Amino acid sequence: MTTIAPQDTGNEALFDATIAAEERIEPRDWMPDDYRASLVRQIAQHAHSEIIGMQPEANWITRAPSLRRKAILMAKVQDEAGHGLYLYSAAETLGTGRDELLDKLHTGRQKYSSIFNYPTLTWADVGAIGWLVDGAAITNQVPLCRCSYGPYARAMVRICKEESFHQRQGYELLLTLSRGTEAQHAMAQDAVDRWWWPSLMMF
């Protein structure tokens, strides 16, 4: 159990009042150690997931079936890299260094979303990830736009807007395949069959 020093009692009361009023805690505000540690853990896991999540789809950039599809996928991968950077920056406002976070990722002391361990076997997987995985992420992440820590909440507003584009891109890709040849339709169905359950497990 955390013991609060007498001089922190007033700070704790102000912190509790700010949370109760659904106002934002900012980096220079006093915050309990447990609150800070929990934020670092959550934001780091989220940032790691954005960076790791780029990789299964980035493998398909050179194999995308058209220049248009390459451009769309490159834009999405670039967005995901940006999301990771927003989140690492938010974590840094809590007094933790990016090098420290990456070291913990590389040594297994911090985690990322396990859904990114599933292989992308076909081009249709890019669509299924956009439609199902990004769709699940949006559902989980929209409430974070109203979270109590200002830098995290503001980062999430932008991230959720961009993820909405990714979800529509995935839907459009699968819709195109479903209207294509019999082989394309089967590829789209196979991708949806493989990704719908892992996407549900995100909840």
Side-chain angles (χ1 to χ4, degrees), residues 54-191:
M54 296 162 47
Q55 297 175 28
E57 293 178 289
N59 291 332
W60 282 94
I61 290 174
T62 58
R63 294 177 283 171
S66 68
L67 183 60
R68 175 175 176 267
R69 292 294 179 188
K70 283 180 171 61
I72 291 172
L73 187 53
M74 281 193 295
K76 180 182 181 185
V77 169
Q78 181 176 310
D79 283 350
E80 302 294 3
H83 298 172
L85 294 177
Y86 306 154
L87 293 167
Y88 284 129
S89 295
E92 286 176 320
T93 67
L94 292 160
T96 184
R98 195 171 307 187
D99 289 345
E100 178 187 353
L101 297 178
L102 291 174
D103 180 65
K104 287 181 177 179
L105 171 65
H106 296 153
T107 57
R109 289 178 291 154
Q110 285 181 341
K111 305 298 183 183
Y112 59 89
S113 179
S114 63
I115 199 165
F116 300 119
N117 291 328
Y118 290 85
T120 49
L121 304 178
T122 70
W123 167 247
D125 286 25
V126 173
I129 289 171
W131 185 41
L132 297 175
V133 177
D134 291 343
I138 292 166
T139 303
N140 279 336
Q141 292 173 10
V142 164
L144 293 173
C145 298
R146 301 186 300 276
C147 75
S148 62
Y149 189 57
Y152 192 23
R154 289 187 288 273
M156 289 313 305
V157 170
R158 180 164 181 172
I159 288 171
C160 287
K161 287 179 180 178
E162 293 178 356
E163 291 291 359
S164 296
F165 282 102
H166 302 167
Q167 195 267 347
R168 294 301 299 172
Q169 290 164 354
Y171 176 85
E172 189 271 338
L173 193 161
L174 288 177
L175 182 63
T176 300
L177 289 175
S178 71
R179 291 173 172 172
T181 66
E182 186 174 331
Q184 288 173 325
H185 191 181
M187 181 171 64
Q189 185 64 60
D190 171 68

Side-chain angles (χ1 to χ4, degrees), residues 10-55:
N11 288 328
E12 184 189 18
L14 179 58
F15 174 86
D16 289 344
T18 302
I19 297 293
E22 298 186 2
E23 296 175 354
R24 295 276 167 76
I25 303 298
E26 297 298 340
R28 294 186 179 185
D29 295 341
W30 182 91
M31 64 187 76
D33 291 341
D34 289 348
Y35 176 83
R36 183 185 302 273
S38 181
L39 278 172
V40 170
R41 181 198 58 78
Q42 181 173 344
I43 296 172
Q45 190 270 350
H46 195 163
H48 298 331
S49 298
E50 297 285 354
I51 298 300
I52 297 296
M54 296 162 47
Q55 297 175 28

